[in-house]
Amino acid sequence: MFHGSGYFRTTLILSALAYPAITEAKIQFTGYGDFQATAHTGARIYGSPPALATFKINDATSVHSRGFNVNNVGLFATTNLRENMNFLVDLTYRQIANTVKEIRVQYAYLEHFLPNDYSYRAGKITLPFGYYNQNRFYAFQRVELTAPVFQSAILGLPIADVGASGQKRFPTQAARIDVDVYAVNGYGGLAADPQKFRSPTLPGALAVSGNLAAADKNGKPGFGGRVTFAEIAGRKIETGVSYYVDAWNPAGSKYFQMWNGHFHAIVDRLDLVAEYLHLDVSGDAGFAAAVGDTHWKTDGYFATVSYPLWKIQDMPLTPFASSEWTYSRGHHNGGGQEKLSGYRAGLALQPWDMVRVKLEYGFLNYVLPLSGQGDLRLDIHSVIMGLVVTF
């Protein structure tokens, strides 16, 4: 499962040798189910004739669909190896019908809490990058039904990689300051062409989540860190900045950088999360076919807000709304711009502590430029109902 990650295998072996009683350790299982019913989805693909012809589309096309699906079923396993030391695993089952087509290990790591507010994790870890990635990527962690599209569909949600992270907490009178640092295998090029980071082809090559592999592709790990100011003035308010850098191509000569600023607050039951994201990629001949430059950048934001306004027979009913907007462009010239904007609003009803029912309307507009051929455009309207159960 983690072939090529010698550090991770060594950590597990040393843990087993140091603590032979691990065979007697108790394992605690929990989990969740995320079920969705699409009442209606309408997608319209249109654009310039040359752009449509590139994807073998003769004219503007509309597609409608509805149906039921099991979005995810997750199983968490946690075992205590010794005082302040645990091992945690998340197995997520996806594309479930008569059989399960995909089993994903979201994370699997050793976690150790040390004196003086130090801690570390080793294994496949969720990156301490922004807020959403570690706190809202599960359906049961968020009120809204769907996650921001750019993060979930392009970057990947969660962003998880094999390596190690460390944290130091500094309690102060004004706030608690958390400092995280990490080193991981990092992103590589596309599986089909390692010299390309992204490619303007639909649907999968636009995502870079598949560029994360079980082994480092060029011998140069990715590095990053995050500084968070939490519990500001003793309230549930936090803000922070994150940074990530990695050499992505096989020769290790081209870089990929990410910056993030996040804000989260719960004030009088009003819950607000907002993040700003910046990407900077050099030497990518793949996405140059879209933005006309091998050095391209992405800027964007997403925000979500919720507030439990009513109760129906003691069951909280919470309205929510979210928006996102991102655009990518070449660094050196005025070529085409990739644009994504989305808006969602809905209601979440919680009949029991372990059950939440959601209804959401969403609209998404996506523009994919093709250098010298115009733009391909996609509009999606959707009405989705969801049921999330934890156990």
Side-chain angles (χ1 to χ4, degrees):
M1 185 179 303
F2 298 109
H3 300 297
S5 179
Y7 178 87
F8 183 49
R9 292 197 300 271
T10 302
T11 300
L12 293 182
I13 293 170
L14 290 177
S15 298
L17 293 176
Y19 309 110
I22 189 172
T23 55
E24 301 177 5
K26 294 182 179 180
I27 301 176
Q28 180 180 0
F29 291 97
T30 55
Y32 74 99
D34 178 14
F35 312 98
Q36 293 186 4
T38 302
H40 172 75
T41 293
R44 182 171 181 259
I45 303 174
Y46 60 104
S48 68
L52 291 172
T54 300
F55 293 95
K56 299 180 180 180
I57 301 173
N58 295 326
D59 202 350
T61 302
S62 295
V63 179
H64 301 274
S65 65
R66 59 177 58 90
F68 302 89
N69 72 290
V70 180
N71 198 39
N72 292 297
V73 172
L75 183 64
F76 308 106
T78 304
T79 184
N80 179 252
L81 304 179
R82 56 170 295 181
E83 185 178 1
N84 296 323
M85 180 179 284
N86 303 298
F87 188 74
L88 302 91
V89 178
D90 167 19
L91 296 175
T92 297
Y93 300 85
R94 307 183 68 179
Q95 300 186 50
I96 300 171
N98 292 332
T99 60
V100 177
K101 293 185 179 180
E102 181 181 354
I103 301 176
R104 180 177 298 182
V105 180
Q106 303 279 33
Y107 61 71
Y109 59 84
L110 179 76
E111 182 177 58
H112 191 189
F113 296 95
L114 302 169
N116 301 316
D117 290 320
Y118 285 96
S119 64
Y120 69 85
R121 292 177 174 179
K124 184 174 183 181
I125 59 174
T126 54
L127 269 59
F129 185 83
Y131 178 83
Y132 213 93
N133 193 58
Q134 289 186 314
N135 296 280
R136 294 288 176 92
F137 71 87
Y138 288 115
F140 60 82
Q141 291 178 315
R142 58 180 184 259
V143 175
E144 66 272 20
L145 197 155
T146 56
V149 174
F150 189 90
Q151 182 157 352
S152 60
I154 296 179
L155 287 180
L157 190 67
I159 305 172
D161 202 354
V162 181
S165 67
Q167 183 186 80
K168 166 64 177 174
R169 290 188 166 182
F170 301 91
T172 70
Q173 290 185 346
R176 190 192 75 229
I177 303 173
D178 299 340
V179 179
D180 294 272
V181 294
Y182 56 90
V184 290
N185 281 336
Y187 287 83
L190 297 172
D193 188 347
Q195 300 295 337
K196 296 179 180 179
F197 191 74
R198 289 182 76 195
S199 180
T201 57
L202 299 175
L206 283 169
V208 299
S209 56
N211 296 24
L212 293 169
D216 195 312
K217 294 187 177 182
N218 52 29
K220 294 185 177 181
F223 297 95
R226 179 181 64 190
V227 178
T228 303
F229 298 86
E231 300 174 5
I232 299 174
R235 309 182 73 177
K236 294 181 179 180
I237 301 174
E238 77 166 64
T239 186
V241 292
S242 307
Y243 176 69
Y244 175 92
V245 63
D246 179 31
W248 66 267
N249 66 322
S253 57
K254 309 299 182 181
Y255 65 83
F256 167 51
Q257 299 181 87
M258 295 193 292
W259 290 265
N260 178 284
H262 77 266
F263 176 82
H264 174 237
I266 300 177
V267 180
D268 294 331
R269 297 186 297 162
L270 176 71
D271 190 312
L272 170 66
V273 176
E275 294 196 25
Y276 164 79
L277 179 68
H278 176 80
L279 309 183
D280 190 321
V281 182
S282 70
D284 181 15
F287 209 55
V291 295
D293 197 336
T294 59
H295 184 179
W296 56 270
K297 297 182 178 182
T298 297
D299 285 280
Y301 81 92
F302 67 83
T304 180
V305 61
S306 64
Y307 187 84
L309 278 179
W310 310 287
K311 285 189 176 182
I312 301 176
Q313 297 183 352
D314 293 326
M315 297 182 295
L317 182 63
T318 304
F320 61 83
S322 63
S323 68
E324 64 178 304
W325 176 82
T326 58
Y327 79 104
S328 303
R329 75 283 183 195
H331 177 66
H332 297 103
N333 58 44
Q337 294 184 350
E338 178 194 37
K339 299 177 183 178
L340 185 151
S341 59
Y343 308 92
R344 292 176 294 277
L347 297 168
L349 179 70
Q350 190 162 5
W352 302 284
D353 290 341
M354 313 295 280
V355 177
R356 183 174 281 169
V357 182
K358 307 177 186 182
L359 174 65
E360 178 182 279
Y361 166 78
F363 170 74
L364 177 73
N365 173 257
Y366 178 70
V367 179
L368 175 66
L370 296 171
S371 185
Q373 301 179 70
D375 296 335
L376 183 74
R377 297 174 178 266
L378 174 66
D379 290 342
I380 300 177
H381 297 265
S382 62
V383 178
I384 306 174
M385 293 177 286
L387 171 67
V388 181
V389 180
T390 57
F391 57 89

